[in-house]
Amino acid sequence: HVRAYAIDTRGEVYGAPVKITPVDFYNIPAIGISVQKKDIGNGSWNSVYNLCTNSTVGGFADWRLPTHSELGSMFGLMNEIGGFVKSYYWASDYPFGGGSQNYIVDFETGSLHTDYPANKHYARCVRTTNNENE
């Protein structure tokens, strides 16, 4: 909690207390997404996909898995966003033409790979934003 105050020759005056709530996501206006500051979990593609689509962090209900391109941007900002482990993260998309594997990004090297959806990797949810204040 914080509150404003002023001091002059007549004494001190205090404003009403205001509760400051930390923001649980990081905005990346350049690519129009917000990123949760914590991993949603470590599991199969389907399990983390469901965790993201059911997330309500910050009061928003439109969270999703990021694309491999968005993960690349997140890798470049991982120190500012914080909380990433040096491991693989699931992407929402898969190589052109489909197939039986999804993209993953290595958050130790930034390299792009593919893996079978049943394998377990980390996930960080994102949502599309229209401005930096969402």
Side-chain angles (χ1 to χ4, degrees), residues 1-19:
H1 290 87
V2 297
R3 64 182 186 167
Y5 71 96
I7 301 173
D8 65 13
T9 57
R10 295 177 285 180
E12 297 177 6
V13 178
Y14 291 89
V18 176
K19 182 178 178 182

Side-chain angles (χ1 to χ4, degrees), residues 88-105:
Y88 294 106
Y89 280 80
W90 283 117
S92 62
D93 51 345
Y94 43 83
F96 182 77
S100 59
Q101 297 186 21
N102 288 74
Y103 283 124
I104 55 174
V105 173

Side-chain angles (χ1 to χ4, degrees), residues 71-85:
L71 277 172
S73 296
M74 292 160 58
F75 177 78
L77 295 168
M78 70 181 187
N79 292 330
E80 289 90 324
I81 298 168
F84 289 98
V85 295

Side-chain angles (χ1 to χ4, degrees), residues 12-92:
E12 297 177 6
V13 178
Y14 291 89
V18 176
K19 182 178 178 182
I20 297 177
T21 305
V23 178
D24 295 331
F25 52 89
Y26 181 89
N27 292 314
I28 308 175
I31 59 171
I33 64 170
S34 292
V35 180
Q36 291 183 4
K37 288 187 178 179
K38 295 181 180 177
D39 293 341
I40 196 77
N42 179 355
S44 69
W45 187 91
N46 286 332
S47 68
V48 295
Y49 172 87
N50 288 329
L51 289 172
C52 281
T53 58
N54 291 314
S55 179
T56 57
V57 167
F60 297 104
D62 57 349
W63 295 100
R64 60 178 173 79
L65 279 177
T67 65
H68 74 280
S69 176
E70 290 167 338
L71 277 172
S73 296
M74 292 160 58
F75 177 78
L77 295 168
M78 70 181 187
N79 292 330
E80 289 90 324
I81 298 168
F84 289 98
V85 295
K86 292 183 177 182
S87 189
Y88 294 106
Y89 280 80
W90 283 117
S92 62

